[in-house]
Amino acid sequence: MYRLSWRLGLGFGTLVGLMLLALALASLQIRAMTELTERFATQDMQRLLRVQSLSLTTEGVGNALLHLMNAPRNQRVPVYADVDERNRRIDGIIESLTNNLDELTQVQTLRRLGEARAAYAEAFMATVDEIEGNEPQAALTIYREQVMPALQQVLIESNMLINRERERIEQQMAQAQARFEQLALWVAALSLLAVGLGVALALGTTRSVVSPLKQLKAAAQRIAGGDYQHPVLATGTEEVDQVGQALTVMTGAIAAREHEIERLAFRDPLTDLPNRTFLLQTGTATQWPSSLAYPAQGGGQGNCPQELAGCHCRSLLLFDLARLKTINETLGFATGDTLIKELARRAQAVLQPVDSARIAGLAEFYEGKTLLAHVSGGMFAIVSEVNERAAIECLQHCLADAMVQPAQCSGYSVDLSLAFGLADSSADAVLPVITLLRNAEVALSAAKKATQAFAWYSAAQEAARLSHLGLLSDLRAAVAQSQLQMWLQPKFSLQTGAAVGAEALVRWQHPTHGFVSPAEFVPFAEQTGAITLVTDWMLAQAMQTLQRWQHSHPKLSISVNVSTRDLQDSTFCQRVRERMAHYGIAAQKLRLEIVESGLMQDAHTSIALLHCLRDAGVELSIDDFGTGYSSLAYLQQLPVSELKIDRSFVTDIDSKPGSLQLTRTMIEMGHGMGLMVTAEGIETEAERDTLKGLGCDVMQGYFGSRPLFGDKLQAWLDHIGGAHF
Ligand code: C2E
Ligand code: MG
Ligand code: MG
């Protein structure tokens, strides 16, 4: 186990150290070079130049002396000055060199040079004496014998000095060069080492970070896949392992929560039995969540969900606690809950008995896969692989027997009487649990109806159930048993205020459900086709009414709503004609309302039918106009005489400029096509006034009158003479 931060710190620290060392060496080298160059320029070179100038000056002195010997007296003064100057310079150089030279041989050479210079100075003075004494011959002799050799000696010694200086400089240069090369080598080596270390460090760090991170990623993917069993393995890197540990802790928390969620989703909290959701998944799931493992009961018999994975469940036994609703209402829900728990306990005891209580007839259930589930309320289901009816009936008997003893709860002794519905698969096909459950429900309700202890599911029960429960047949019954009513909502002329007719609206008084709104059942009846029954019934009612009104209210018309389904029935027009003939009413008293959207569905047939009706003299209205997508061109083809503007445009029209504008256009358009325009759903005076102002012809709505029936309708009709709103 190591810390990534230590490793990184150590590695990068070493790297930085090496780099600093290389930098220090490089700067040392630069300093040494600078010093050498400086010394070379200020000392060595200066000395060399001085020595060179010594030899040159010495040569010059010789020549000057020669010139002095041959010069007339009056020209000697400047030459003396020149010679003196040169001599001074020589002395100066010798003196400065004396202070500068440190090498023994050079010191010795300089000493000899000094001696030679002294000899020369002596000879020079002697020569000058002879020249001034006008003894040129003697001066020349001294010059040749003393001055020249002395000067020669000075030259020799100064050349030696030069050579030695050159040699020294060359030696120093060579030494410096060697040192530089060595230093450069060190810097290069250190740099190389740093680069190598850097690369190794980068690789090592990458490996030590990337591979543990990869392990972490794999662990996270495992967790995401629902594998909470395997802990996140140690990677050897402390920081990564800390994340791994956090991940392991998180995994534990997720697993616990998931466990709980599964438990809540699949288990009924009251009885702690699998619930309906679980039951429906029986046989389909390949692996049940571990949270559903049952506590071992009765030797871990077949009621364990783990064993139901892939179960070929062939039969289902459904049983329901009778009178639970009454018990809840009279003895309270707590009593009801206690009963349900008691029922669950006794049923479990039948399925998972201690060895001594095992019933021979139930051996198959103990051995095969069997599951007891709480479906809802007092209803339980047992699903199993057993498919012999005798065995299933035996189980039913055993369960019924187990419930014989009344349960004691809240001081009451309550009977646990059960009704059973049994369903099984055919010999050749295993039914899905959902089908078995539905079949068992049908059988259960059949058993309850027949007040039998149990009933097996049969196809006949299904048919009976459908015919009794279906809304379709309910509606048929409603028509047959006069549960329907025709309500009439008056329509008034907006110009005169006089009643012009009424719209017939169906109402259904269901014997058990009470009043059912047409908005609820008309769409459904349209889907199933049962609406034609309603239309026929309403047409008959409307015509009877019109017949009655022939003398009392000859001006009133009745509008009947016609469904899209009716328009697709080619016999519809004929039936209307026959009915009108039957009741002997004037065709123009009958109006048929067709919703705008319905007209668009099968336009060809619809238009032909509308023409047929129009030819018969029936007035046609477009209902809910504005809610569909009819084009003006399309509407022009229709033989309609009324446009009913939908309520949504009329509501608050007085305060909504958008609705006002649209409605004005619709009214103008309707009038342009020669149609009577009716506004639906007028509820206020302001709405009425606005529509009147727009030139709308007829109004219908609560402001004029609500739909009327019975006495109220009669009262309205009685006053129709002065029936102005
Ligand atoms: P609809 O043909 O547009 O009928 C007008 C609906 O508006 C009726 O509702 C009526 O009660 C309601 N209504 C009238 N004035 C007002 C008002 O001022 N304010 C409000 N809020 N509502 C008003 P209902 O009777 O519930 O009918 C709803 C729909 O059911 C009808 O709309 C019609 O499409 C359909 N329907 C009703 N009776 C029959 C029928 O006998 N046969 C067919 N096929 N459909 C019907
Ligand atoms: Mg209508
Ligand atoms: Mg309408």
Side-chain angles (χ1 to χ4, degrees):
M1 170 73 64
Y2 61 87
R3 262 180 170 274
L4 195 62
S5 51
W6 288 351
R7 174 184 263 221
L8 286 177
L10 198 72
F12 284 109
T14 315
L15 196 63
V16 169
L18 277 176
M19 299 294 264
L20 282 176
L21 202 64
L23 251 173
L25 280 177
S27 74
L28 258 180
Q29 190 170 16
I30 290 166
R31 237 178 78 189
M33 262 178 81
T34 317
E35 272 174 14
L36 198 74
T37 317
E38 211 176 274
R39 207 177 68 206
F40 182 68
T42 56
Q43 295 178 21
D44 301 341
M45 208 55 202
Q46 292 291 324
R47 210 158 45 216
L48 190 68
L49 286 174
R50 253 180 268 152
V51 176
Q52 274 176 348
S53 121
L54 179 73
S55 83
L56 281 175
T57 318
T58 309
E59 274 175 26
V61 167
N63 292 340
L65 203 58
L66 213 54
H67 178 66
L68 203 65
M69 278 192 286
N70 298 323
R73 184 176 291 273
N74 57 349
Q75 288 175 6
R76 282 181 204 156
V77 176
V79 180
Y80 277 133
D82 178 40
V83 169
D84 280 349
E85 173 58 31
R86 284 174 190 268
N87 282 340
R88 262 197 310 278
R89 214 185 298 160
I90 290 168
D91 289 341
I93 293 169
I94 289 171
E95 197 184 321
S96 79
L97 283 173
T98 312
N99 298 332
N100 254 329
L101 289 180
D102 44 6
E103 207 185 73
L104 186 64
T105 47
Q106 290 289 76
V107 174
Q108 285 172 350
T109 311
L110 192 65
R111 191 173 43 78
R112 282 199 303 275
L113 189 112
E115 286 167 6
R117 159 74 186 129
Y120 154 73
E122 215 172 292
F124 175 79
M125 290 311 294
T127 311
V128 169
D129 285 347
E130 293 304 330
I131 293 169
E132 290 304 313
N134 258 344
E135 293 293 335
Q137 208 52 51
L140 192 64
T141 311
I142 295 171
Y143 178 76
R144 276 199 199 118
E145 287 172 6
Q146 291 176 28
V147 173
M148 281 304 283
L151 273 178
Q152 202 62 40
Q153 194 58 38
V154 167
L155 274 176
I156 288 166
E157 294 304 335
S158 66
N159 280 342
M160 270 180 74
L161 271 179
I162 288 171
N163 289 340
R164 183 60 202 142
E165 275 309 301
R166 275 205 193 108
E167 230 171 71
R168 248 166 55 101
I169 287 173
E170 275 169 15
Q171 256 175 20
Q172 277 174 0
M173 293 300 275
Q175 272 174 9
Q177 184 71 22
R179 249 188 31 229
F180 290 156
E181 277 169 11
Q182 205 180 18
L183 261 171
L185 218 70
W186 269 104
V187 170
L190 279 174
S191 302
L192 259 175
L193 197 68
V195 168
L197 195 75
V199 170
L201 201 67
L203 283 175
T205 310
T206 309
R207 238 200 320 269
S208 62
V209 173
V210 170
S211 61
L213 284 180
K214 270 188 185 160
Q215 285 182 41
L216 268 190
K217 186 182 159 197
Q221 279 169 344
R222 272 203 317 274
I223 294 164
D227 176 4
Y228 306 128
Q229 304 301 319
H230 300 95
V232 182
L233 294 176
T235 58
T237 305
E238 197 174 322
E239 287 88 342
V240 178
D241 283 352
Q242 281 169 359
V243 179
Q245 276 162 12
L247 215 59
T248 308
V249 171
M250 190 187 82
T251 309
I254 292 174
R257 264 203 299 277
E258 210 166 88
H259 190 272
E260 185 59 14
I261 289 167
E262 277 167 0
R263 211 183 64 76
L264 290 172
F266 292 114
R267 233 171 227 287
D268 163 49
L270 182 65
T271 58
D272 204 31
L273 285 174
N275 60 13
R276 189 173 191 277
T277 313
F278 185 88
L279 176 74
L280 292 180
Q281 289 190 20
T282 306
T284 52
T286 49
Q287 184 67 50
W288 290 109
S290 56
S291 58
L292 288 161
Y294 274 75
Q297 283 176 14
Q301 279 306 326
N303 216 6
C304 171
Q306 298 293 347
E307 292 176 19
L308 278 152
C311 164
H312 292 286
C313 298
R314 294 182 150 270
S315 63
L316 194 143
L317 186 148
L318 191 70
F319 53 100
D320 193 19
L321 181 60
R323 298 183 299 277
L324 179 65
K325 192 167 174 283
T326 322
I327 293 165
N328 280 335
E329 281 166 7
T330 54
L331 303 179
F333 282 91
T335 312
D337 286 352
T338 315
L339 277 187
I340 292 167
K341 282 197 267 189
E342 178 61 14
L343 202 165
R345 193 191 62 75
R346 293 190 194 183
Q348 272 180 303
V350 171
L351 286 169
Q352 300 173 342
V354 286
D355 285 347
S356 60
R358 287 191 166 210
I359 302 159
L362 300 186
E364 282 185 83
F365 290 98
Y366 302 145
E367 280 147 24
K369 291 177 178 174
T370 302
L371 170 82
L372 170 67
H374 184 200
V375 179
S376 67
M379 196 180 282
F380 292 78
I382 295 171
V383 66
S384 84
E385 284 187 328
V386 178
N387 203 28
E388 284 99 64
R389 286 198 164 194
I392 296 162
E393 284 181 19
C394 176
L395 176 62
Q396 183 270 321
H397 285 305
C398 293
L399 285 166
D401 283 352
M403 309 299 161
V404 165
Q405 287 293 321
Q408 302 300 323
C409 48
S410 318
Y412 302 102
S413 179
V414 189
D415 280 341
L416 285 169
S417 62
L418 301 181
F420 291 83
L422 316 179
D424 59 355
S425 304
S426 59
D428 43 341
V430 177
L431 292 176
V433 172
I434 189 162
T435 313
L436 284 172
L437 182 63
R438 207 178 58 87
N439 292 351
E441 278 169 358
V442 173
L444 181 64
S445 68
K448 282 179 181 172
K449 235 175 231 147
T451 54
Q452 292 169 342
F454 72 92
W456 278 99
Y457 167 78
S458 71
Q461 288 167 355
E462 178 82 349
R465 190 177 76 124
L466 275 180
S467 65
H468 279 98
L469 295 179
L471 192 60
L472 177 72
S473 56
D474 266 6
L475 196 56
R476 283 178 207 280
V479 176
Q481 297 162 14
S482 299
Q483 290 169 13
L484 299 184
Q485 293 170 348
M486 183 185 75
W487 287 54
L488 290 171
Q489 185 174 32
K491 292 163 77 179
F492 302 94
S493 160
L494 272 167
Q495 306 313 315
T496 65
V500 293
E503 178 177 9
L505 296 163
V506 69
R507 298 285 180 266
W508 183 4
Q509 272 311 125
H510 195 280
T512 50
H513 296 129
F515 170 72
V516 187
S517 153
E520 264 178 64
F521 72 86
V522 165
F524 177 76
E526 274 177 338
Q527 274 175 20
T528 58
I531 194 70
T532 54
L533 293 172
V534 178
T535 311
D536 281 355
W537 188 86
M538 289 292 280
L539 274 172
Q541 294 295 311
M543 286 188 209
Q544 277 174 25
T545 309
L546 283 171
Q547 195 186 39
R548 282 204 301 276
W549 286 356
Q550 256 172 1
H551 300 293
S552 55
H553 305 289
K555 287 189 178 162
L556 297 184
S557 64
I558 293 183
S559 306
V560 174
N561 289 288
V562 169
S563 134
T564 317
R565 280 279 185 148
D566 298 313
L567 297 182
Q568 286 156 6
D569 179 359
S570 54
T571 65
F572 181 69
C573 178
Q574 191 54 34
R575 280 192 282 136
V576 173
R577 279 169 180 246
E578 284 169 6
R579 237 190 209 125
M580 281 196 303
H582 175 75
Y583 290 103
I585 54 158
Q588 67 275 18
K589 294 291 153 222
L590 181 70
R591 284 190 168 273
L592 297 180
E593 287 189 16
I594 305 130
V595 283
E596 190 201 347
S597 50
L599 279 171
M600 305 298 287
Q601 287 187 9
D602 188 355
H604 194 69
T605 325
S606 309
I607 292 174
L609 200 109
L610 294 183
H611 278 286
C612 172
L613 290 165
R614 186 74 201 94
D615 291 345
V618 177
E619 299 285 342
L620 301 172
S621 312
I622 295 180
D623 199 0
D624 299 351
F625 183 70
T627 55
Y629 302 95
S630 325
S631 70
L632 195 61
Y634 176 66
L635 286 179
Q636 271 173 337
Q637 298 175 38
L638 304 177
V640 292
S641 60
E642 184 187 14
L643 207 64
K644 293 188 77 178
I645 297 174
D646 188 65
R647 196 170 78 229
S648 53
F649 297 93
V650 172
T651 307
D652 298 330
I653 188 169
D654 48 298
S655 58
K656 285 187 184 158
S659 296
L660 184 85
Q661 189 52 43
L662 273 171
T663 312
R664 175 185 285 129
T665 316
M666 285 192 268
I667 294 170
E668 281 170 11
M669 195 189 84
H671 285 163
M673 288 162 61
L675 305 178
M676 179 172 86
V677 181
T678 300
E680 290 184 288
I682 294 185
E683 291 187 354
T684 66
E685 194 173 0
E687 289 169 355
R688 192 266 324 259
D689 292 344
T690 310
L691 281 149
K692 191 177 174 185
L694 291 176
C696 186
D697 305 301
V698 175
M699 66 157 281
Q700 182 185 342
Y702 293 170
F703 182 68
S705 170
R706 285 184 174 258
L708 302 169
F709 181 72
D711 293 345
K712 283 190 178 167
L713 176 65
Q714 197 51 54
W716 178 73
L717 285 168
D718 290 342
H719 293 95
I720 200 78
H724 290 174
F725 55 85

